[in-house]
Amino acid sequence: MVFNYGYLTWEWTSNLRGYSYPLIFASMYKALQLLAKDNVQLLIWVPRLAQAVLAAFADVKLYSLVQHLENSETAKFVFFCQLCSWFTWYSCTRTLTNTMETILTIFALSYYPIKGSKMGNSSKYLALVALAIVIRPTAVIPWMPLVFSHFLQEQRKADLILHNCIPVGLVTVGTSLIIDRVFFGEWVLVQLNFLKFNVLQNLGTFYGSHPWHWYFTQGLPVVLGPHLPFFIHGCVLAPRRFRILLLALIWTLLVYSTLSHKEFRFIYPVLPFCMIFCGYSLRYLKAWKKTAASFLLLSNLVPALYTGLVHQRGTLDVMSHIQQLCHHSQQSQAFVFILMPCHSTPFYSHVHCPLKMRFLQCPPDLIGNASYVDEADMFYSNPLGWLNKEFYNDTLLPSHLILFNVLEQEISSFLALRGYEKTATVFHTHVPQGRVGSHISIYRRKTEVNYP
């Protein structure tokens, strides 16, 4: 969209992703390009900083909401709980659609007509909800009970539908359709395709499945972490008008539980709901208030720092090694093959040059082929055989191979025979598991070209 090179994953070729959200970051890239400041570090950090600023504004909005509905003291404790959350630290600067969905959910909630609120504005909150749905269609799930509750309480139901819901829906969906029409070159309703794939066809199971109770027994407890007992306590103490938020939370967990593929980030948008109840718990603790606050801060600080700065950092760190090839005089002859589980690393956004790169593919079966096996699974079923078959001719060999150390022994004969030498080792995790090793190894093929 900006630099005329890059890579589109299968989600884009299958029309499952819309351009509305990436257009925000593409605009940032274009601005940097026009200012001649499009170096790789700014391409990496500017989107993260923009996401962080939006997350900070959302936190302030959450504080203002509780302050308006209750009082400054309760708002202070809710704000404290939100800032303490290890999962918020882990997720809020990531340019995932789940992160933007969470931010828009908080903004929408600040205008939602909760009983006792004088800040309620149907047009504003519905517009923000619609925008969240455009960016990630599953945003409709937590908002279904909230919008339905608003509809039941609204005296002028026809006006709500005719003057708010329909105009907002037409404008947001229409804008999304036009943006996608420009970039896809055809009319595509990606939100419908997304829901078909993930909900109706449940094809997300291709990327793993979990038992139905996972969000209740593992998902939410892990995301809440040390906040869990305060959340349970707060659910008992919170005023009745906030029960709609608890209902939305339970509804969201139940709906997501019907889908086989589950991830922690899917329930990130309802985490701010939980923080309101945690804040109430802290607010009404008496003798143990300072002790509880200290416990929350310290117990969240350790996992936040570890998961944010140490755990699984190798797949980001290794990109700086790959990026060095962009400054080499033989860049056009370089070929990097990432022999790792698909999408383990970032790609061109962290390299910023038209370097030839490839990774193992893992698109799901979209045509109902019962014997379908993706490229990544084919490789890991017989790594040595796959490499010998794929690179039957030396002219096809990559100049660099990136792989987890757990794979080294199995393909050592291929590496030795084809003249590869290890040039760097990058730490990744203290908890290696399955195909993911503790370190990432970088191999360079010894040829007449002296690569860095």
Side-chain angles (χ1 to χ4, degrees):
M1 293 171 66
V2 179
F3 303 112
N4 297 318
Y5 67 88
Y7 181 82
L8 288 177
T9 60
W10 66 269
E11 293 98 333
W12 297 95
T13 56
S14 301
N15 299 343
L16 286 179
R17 292 281 188 264
Y19 280 90
S20 300
Y21 186 49
L23 194 58
I24 299 173
F25 304 111
S27 301
M28 296 177 191
Y29 290 165
K30 190 63 179 179
L32 290 171
Q33 183 190 51
L34 293 174
L35 295 170
K37 299 293 184 182
D38 56 318
N39 65 72
V40 68
Q41 289 303 317
L42 285 178
L43 292 182
I44 293 171
W45 283 101
V46 166
R48 295 184 189 177
L49 289 172
Q51 201 78 59
V53 169
L54 286 173
F57 276 117
D59 292 342
V60 172
K61 271 290 186 183
L62 185 64
Y63 173 86
S64 299
L65 171 66
V66 180
Q67 183 185 41
H68 173 73
L69 291 172
E70 292 296 315
N71 51 60
S72 296
E73 188 176 8
T74 304
K76 178 180 65 177
F77 284 108
V78 171
F79 190 60
F80 174 79
C81 289
Q82 173 74 354
L83 296 184
C84 277
S85 170
W86 79 270
F87 197 78
T88 297
W89 284 35
Y90 179 74
S91 304
C92 70
T93 61
R94 295 171 182 258
T95 54
L96 300 168
T97 52
N98 310 89
T99 303
M100 184 57 75
E101 178 190 353
T102 304
I103 290 169
L104 291 173
T105 293
I106 295 175
F107 278 114
L109 192 63
S110 67
Y111 296 109
Y112 179 76
I114 298 177
K115 187 177 180 182
S117 172
K118 296 179 182 179
M119 298 171 61
N121 186 305
S122 297
S123 296
K124 288 183 179 180
Y125 101 79
L126 287 170
L128 290 163
V129 170
L131 184 57
I133 294 171
V134 164
I135 290 174
R136 187 169 182 84
T138 49
V140 71
I141 296 172
W143 280 100
M144 285 178 68
L146 290 165
V147 173
F148 184 65
S149 175
H150 175 208
F151 178 76
L152 292 178
Q153 295 174 14
E154 182 64 47
Q155 294 181 348
R156 296 179 296 180
K157 292 180 173 57
D159 287 347
L160 177 64
I161 294 174
L162 295 175
H163 297 156
N164 296 115
C165 294
I166 293 178
V168 164
L170 289 175
V171 170
T172 51
V173 174
T175 303
S176 173
L177 277 170
I178 292 171
I179 291 173
D180 291 332
R181 174 69 175 83
V182 171
F183 291 101
F184 280 118
E186 59 181 328
W187 293 107
V188 178
L189 187 59
V190 293
Q191 291 77 26
L192 181 60
N193 293 340
F194 183 92
L195 289 173
K196 280 182 179 178
F197 179 88
N198 289 287
V199 180
L200 300 180
Q201 297 173 319
N202 201 17
L203 291 176
T205 54
F206 182 80
Y207 296 108
S209 59
H210 300 80
W212 69 267
H213 55 77
W214 187 84
Y215 281 117
F216 292 95
T217 57
Q218 296 180 56
L220 186 64
V222 169
V223 168
L224 282 173
H227 284 76
L228 182 60
F230 299 94
F231 167 70
I232 296 172
H233 183 226
C235 288
V236 178
L237 296 176
R240 291 187 59 182
R241 63 171 171 268
F242 286 108
R243 289 181 184 174
I244 184 61
L245 300 181
L246 183 59
L247 176 62
L249 168 65
I250 295 171
W251 164 260
T252 301
L253 296 181
L254 287 172
V255 172
Y256 275 124
S257 294
T258 64
L259 306 177
S260 298
H261 181 60
K262 300 173 175 66
E263 295 186 34
F264 295 114
R265 63 187 176 96
F266 291 169
I267 58 172
Y268 179 36
V270 294
L271 183 59
F273 296 4
C274 301
M275 293 302 108
I276 292 177
F277 295 102
C278 294
Y280 267 101
S281 175
L282 275 184
R283 164 72 174 82
Y284 288 101
L285 287 178
K286 295 181 180 179
W288 297 94
K289 188 175 294 185
K290 289 185 178 180
T291 303
S294 299
F295 165 76
L296 273 180
L297 179 60
L298 295 175
S299 60
N300 277 278
L301 187 63
V302 172
L305 292 175
Y306 181 74
T307 57
L309 300 176
V310 180
H311 181 58
Q312 295 184 347
R313 63 172 295 160
T315 49
L316 289 175
D317 291 344
V318 76
M319 298 308 294
S320 62
H321 292 266
I322 298 175
Q323 206 276 330
Q324 291 176 16
L325 296 173
C326 293
H327 307 297
H328 196 273
S329 59
Q330 301 295 332
Q331 176 203 130
S332 61
Q333 298 180 36
F335 173 21
V336 178
F337 197 163
I338 302 171
L339 288 174
M340 300 161 72
C342 62
H343 307 300
S344 291
T345 67
F347 218 44
Y348 284 103
S349 64
H350 284 55
V351 175
H352 192 37
C353 74
L355 186 69
K356 184 179 180 183
M357 294 194 295
R358 179 182 168 188
F359 62 90
L360 296 170
Q361 302 289 317
C362 59
D365 173 29
L366 299 174
I367 58 174
N369 182 2
S371 60
Y372 174 78
V373 180
D374 67 60
E375 184 181 51
D377 283 341
M378 289 178 64
F379 167 76
Y380 279 104
S381 65
N382 183 11
L384 187 60
W386 189 93
L387 287 170
N388 287 324
K389 182 179 179 181
E390 186 74 13
F391 301 110
Y392 59 90
N393 189 318
D394 281 2
T395 60
L396 302 175
L397 287 168
S399 63
H400 292 74
L401 293 175
I402 314 295
L403 52 120
F404 282 117
N405 59 335
V406 292
L407 190 63
E408 286 179 303
Q409 185 174 356
E410 193 165 357
I411 65 170
S412 58
S413 60
F414 174 87
L415 296 172
L417 184 64
R418 303 304 173 95
Y420 285 98
E421 62 177 355
K422 187 188 295 188
T423 59
T425 299
V426 179
F427 169 77
H428 182 61
T429 180
H430 292 109
V431 192
Q433 187 176 21
R435 299 173 179 178
V436 178
S438 61
H439 290 75
I440 297 172
S441 300
I442 303 173
Y443 281 85
R444 178 192 65 194
R445 188 164 183 255
K446 293 178 287 187
T447 65
E448 66 276 11
V449 177
N450 185 24
Y451 290 105

